[in-house]
Amino acid sequence: MAYLTREQLTYVDNTVRQPNQRELTAMSLFRTFNVPAWTTQTRYKVMTTSGQATDYVDGADNLPVVDLAMTEATSNLTDIGIAIRYSRQQVGEAQQANIDILNPMATRARRAMAEGENKIIFNGKHNSNPALNINGLTDKASVLGVQESTAPVAFDNMFVDGDNATTSNNNLKIRNWFQDAVGMITHLAGYSNAKPILALPQSSIDRLNRPYNDYNPQMTVLSMIQPWFSQIKVVPEFEHQYFGAKGNKNDLGYIFLNDASIAQIPIAQSVHALPQEYHNGWTTIPYTERLGGLVMYYPHAFVQLKGINDPKNVK
């Protein structure tokens, strides 16, 4: 009779529970915190600050002040899951041919769980009942309370063939725009020395990595802005096809800080196996996880980057 040994099942379990680092985009960018296992909603405090300097005259008693407001917010949690399924026949044939069927199944299951985590954090989960929604970073800035900035030139329009002057000017505009966007974070009280993270779709990073112009092929906008960031990460979920209304053609990017005091991910149940199910010669091992969307304690430490691609160029 063909069967999987306890050691083989342990291998599958460990592989599903321990993902490859490159799959963990969301979990590698943000810290997590534990909540009770059966939590469906968590409450937290959101901090916002406001204040603007004005001219000062000796003796003036009407100077503006910096206001700090703390409001209570909630975040819903949801379950994601995947199952590994195999038959006695499959196991028997694999053992007979000395083929490993465990690694492909376990690796794909773990990747599916990581993709589920990423989608919740970056794109959220939207229901017909808004009370059950989980906001993702690709939701509107006005909903999330984050800052936003729009690129003066779409990255795919930066380079004009045969026109070095226009290309150089466009590149300079984007370089200066990034500097201003970083300043939206470093000008926050207490963060003047911070080096935020830049997250973009791969296509945007590729465009920023093109030569500044024909006369400076060794220089790119990406190389110019790199010193301002602690990390530059690829986030596929910021591509237009993964969020927004049907037919959305606008990509997004982000500049943000990821300290535990700024944002975290609530975890109620880490990835774990449920009891095996056996039916008609098939064995199924379900794996589930319960987590929430990104809890942003300080939304102003996030800048949503818009206008980074030209919708007209999207096929």
Side-chain angles (χ1 to χ4, degrees), residues 13-29:
D13 191 58
N14 287 340
T15 300
V16 175
R17 291 168 182 259
Q18 298 173 12
N20 188 307
Q21 187 64 28
R22 64 176 176 235
E23 297 171 354
L24 280 177
T25 309
M27 294 297 181
S28 66
L29 284 175

mmCIF file of all heavy atoms in Angstrom, residues 13-29:
data_model
loop_
_atom_site.group_PDB
_atom_site.id
_atom_site.type_symbol
_atom_site.label_atom_id
_atom_site.label_comp_id
_atom_site.label_asym_id
_atom_site.label_seq_id
_atom_site.Cartn_x
_atom_site.Cartn_y
_atom_site.Cartn_z
ATOM 1 N N ASP A 13 4.606 19.829 6.048
ATOM 2 C CA ASP A 13 4.129 20.802 7.018
ATOM 3 C C ASP A 13 5.139 21.925 7.217
ATOM 4 O O ASP A 13 4.783 23.106 7.212
ATOM 5 C CB ASP A 13 3.842 20.097 8.344
ATOM 6 C CG ASP A 13 3.103 21.000 9.316
ATOM 7 O OD1 ASP A 13 2.009 21.475 8.970
ATOM 8 O OD2 ASP A 13 3.630 21.241 10.403
ATOM 9 N N ASN A 14 6.414 21.576 7.366
ATOM 10 C CA ASN A 14 7.446 22.587 7.577
ATOM 11 C C ASN A 14 7.603 23.479 6.356
ATOM 12 O O ASN A 14 7.837 24.683 6.482
ATOM 13 C CB ASN A 14 8.782 21.920 7.909
ATOM 14 C CG ASN A 14 8.792 21.339 9.314
ATOM 15 O OD1 ASN A 14 7.986 21.723 10.153
ATOM 16 N ND2 ASN A 14 9.682 20.393 9.556
ATOM 17 N N THR A 15 7.485 22.899 5.165
ATOM 18 C CA THR A 15 7.633 23.701 3.949
ATOM 19 C C THR A 15 6.488 24.689 3.803
ATOM 20 O O THR A 15 6.696 25.849 3.435
ATOM 21 C CB THR A 15 7.691 22.783 2.711
ATOM 22 O OG1 THR A 15 8.810 21.900 2.837
ATOM 23 C CG2 THR A 15 7.840 23.601 1.428
ATOM 24 N N VAL A 16 5.278 24.258 4.108
ATOM 25 C CA VAL A 16 4.127 25.151 4.002
ATOM 26 C C VAL A 16 4.223 26.258 5.043
ATOM 27 O O VAL A 16 3.888 27.409 4.783
ATOM 28 C CB VAL A 16 2.816 24.367 4.160
ATOM 29 C CG1 VAL A 16 1.624 25.319 4.178
ATOM 30 C CG2 VAL A 16 2.656 23.364 3.019
ATOM 31 N N ARG A 17 4.698 25.920 6.216
ATOM 32 C CA ARG A 17 4.775 26.912 7.298
ATOM 33 C C ARG A 17 5.929 27.890 7.117
ATOM 34 O O ARG A 17 5.874 29.012 7.595
ATOM 35 C CB ARG A 17 4.963 26.211 8.653
ATOM 36 C CG ARG A 17 3.751 25.423 9.125
ATOM 37 C CD ARG A 17 4.147 24.553 10.301
ATOM 38 N NE ARG A 17 3.056 23.725 10.788
ATOM 39 C CZ ARG A 17 2.329 24.013 11.857
ATOM 40 N NH1 ARG A 17 2.564 25.110 12.537
ATOM 41 N NH2 ARG A 17 1.376 23.204 12.242
ATOM 42 N N GLN A 18 7.008 27.471 6.459
ATOM 43 C CA GLN A 18 8.215 28.293 6.356
ATOM 44 C C GLN A 18 8.436 28.693 4.899
ATOM 45 O O GLN A 18 9.069 27.978 4.137
ATOM 46 C CB GLN A 18 9.426 27.523 6.877
ATOM 47 C CG GLN A 18 9.305 27.148 8.338
ATOM 48 C CD GLN A 18 10.423 26.243 8.808
ATOM 49 O OE1 GLN A 18 11.409 26.059 8.110
ATOM 50 N NE2 GLN A 18 10.273 25.683 9.980
ATOM 51 N N PRO A 19 7.923 29.854 4.504
ATOM 52 C CA PRO A 19 7.997 30.277 3.114
ATOM 53 C C PRO A 19 9.384 30.755 2.719
ATOM 54 O O PRO A 19 10.193 31.151 3.545
ATOM 55 C CB PRO A 19 7.007 31.433 3.051
ATOM 56 C CG PRO A 19 7.022 31.987 4.436
ATOM 57 C CD PRO A 19 7.199 30.799 5.343
ATOM 58 N N ASN A 20 9.630 30.714 1.421
ATOM 59 C CA ASN A 20 10.838 31.305 0.871
ATOM 60 C C ASN A 20 10.784 32.813 1.105
ATOM 61 O O ASN A 20 9.743 33.444 0.940
ATOM 62 C CB ASN A 20 10.883 31.002 -0.632
ATOM 63 C CG ASN A 20 12.195 31.409 -1.266
ATOM 64 O OD1 ASN A 20 12.631 32.540 -1.124
ATOM 65 N ND2 ASN A 20 12.805 30.490 -1.972
ATOM 66 N N GLN A 21 11.907 33.419 1.445
ATOM 67 C CA GLN A 21 11.943 34.830 1.795
ATOM 68 C C GLN A 21 11.410 35.715 0.668
ATOM 69 O O GLN A 21 10.742 36.709 0.903
ATOM 70 C CB GLN A 21 13.380 35.250 2.147
ATOM 71 C CG GLN A 21 13.507 36.672 2.690
ATOM 72 C CD GLN A 21 12.790 36.866 4.016
ATOM 73 O OE1 GLN A 21 12.639 35.934 4.777
ATOM 74 N NE2 GLN A 21 12.339 38.081 4.279
ATOM 75 N N ARG A 22 11.698 35.376 -0.578
ATOM 76 C CA ARG A 22 11.278 36.245 -1.672
ATOM 77 C C ARG A 22 9.773 36.240 -1.872
ATOM 78 O O ARG A 22 9.234 37.079 -2.584
ATOM 79 C CB ARG A 22 11.998 35.857 -2.965
ATOM 80 C CG ARG A 22 11.665 34.475 -3.476
ATOM 81 C CD ARG A 22 12.349 34.232 -4.803
ATOM 82 N NE ARG A 22 12.110 32.869 -5.259
ATOM 83 C CZ ARG A 22 13.052 32.014 -5.572
ATOM 84 N NH1 ARG A 22 14.309 32.367 -5.456
ATOM 85 N NH2 ARG A 22 12.760 30.807 -6.017
ATOM 86 N N GLU A 23 9.073 35.255 -1.293
ATOM 87 C CA GLU A 23 7.618 35.226 -1.387
ATOM 88 C C GLU A 23 6.967 36.150 -0.364
ATOM 89 O O GLU A 23 5.804 36.491 -0.484
ATOM 90 C CB GLU A 23 7.106 33.796 -1.161
ATOM 91 C CG GLU A 23 7.577 32.794 -2.198
ATOM 92 C CD GLU A 23 7.229 31.371 -1.802
ATOM 93 O OE1 GLU A 23 6.725 31.188 -0.681
ATOM 94 O OE2 GLU A 23 7.471 30.461 -2.598
ATOM 95 N N LEU A 24 7.722 36.542 0.645
ATOM 96 C CA LEU A 24 7.151 37.222 1.803
ATOM 97 C C LEU A 24 7.189 38.741 1.681
ATOM 98 O O LEU A 24 7.630 39.404 2.604
ATOM 99 C CB LEU A 24 7.923 36.817 3.061
ATOM 100 C CG LEU A 24 7.556 35.478 3.684
ATOM 101 C CD1 LEU A 24 8.460 35.195 4.859
ATOM 102 C CD2 LEU A 24 6.123 35.471 4.124
ATOM 103 N N THR A 25 6.742 39.304 0.575
ATOM 104 C CA THR A 25 6.856 40.748 0.391
ATOM 105 C C THR A 25 6.229 41.515 1.548
ATOM 106 O O THR A 25 6.863 42.346 2.182
ATOM 107 C CB THR A 25 6.194 41.170 -0.927
ATOM 108 O OG1 THR A 25 6.696 40.343 -1.979
ATOM 109 C CG2 THR A 25 6.510 42.619 -1.240
ATOM 110 N N ALA A 26 4.965 41.236 1.848
ATOM 111 C CA ALA A 26 4.277 41.977 2.906
ATOM 112 C C ALA A 26 4.873 41.680 4.275
ATOM 113 O O ALA A 26 5.133 42.590 5.068
ATOM 114 C CB ALA A 26 2.782 41.645 2.890
ATOM 115 N N MET A 27 5.080 40.408 4.568
ATOM 116 C CA MET A 27 5.572 40.022 5.887
ATOM 117 C C MET A 27 7.023 40.437 6.124
ATOM 118 O O MET A 27 7.465 40.517 7.268
ATOM 119 C CB MET A 27 5.421 38.509 6.076
ATOM 120 C CG MET A 27 3.982 38.041 6.117
ATOM 121 S SD MET A 27 3.077 38.736 7.532
ATOM 122 C CE MET A 27 1.471 37.963 7.307
ATOM 123 N N SER A 28 7.773 40.666 5.047
ATOM 124 C CA SER A 28 9.155 41.129 5.218
ATOM 125 C C SER A 28 9.225 42.651 5.350
ATOM 126 O O SER A 28 10.196 43.196 5.880
ATOM 127 C CB SER A 28 10.023 40.678 4.042
ATOM 128 O OG SER A 28 9.626 41.313 2.841
ATOM 129 N N LEU A 29 8.178 43.329 4.902
ATOM 130 C CA LEU A 29 8.165 44.784 4.983
ATOM 131 C C LEU A 29 7.603 45.303 6.298
ATOM 132 O O LEU A 29 7.989 46.374 6.758
ATOM 133 C CB LEU A 29 7.334 45.365 3.825
ATOM 134 C CG LEU A 29 7.983 45.383 2.449
ATOM 135 C CD1 LEU A 29 6.997 45.873 1.399
ATOM 136 C CD2 LEU A 29 9.235 46.251 2.452
#
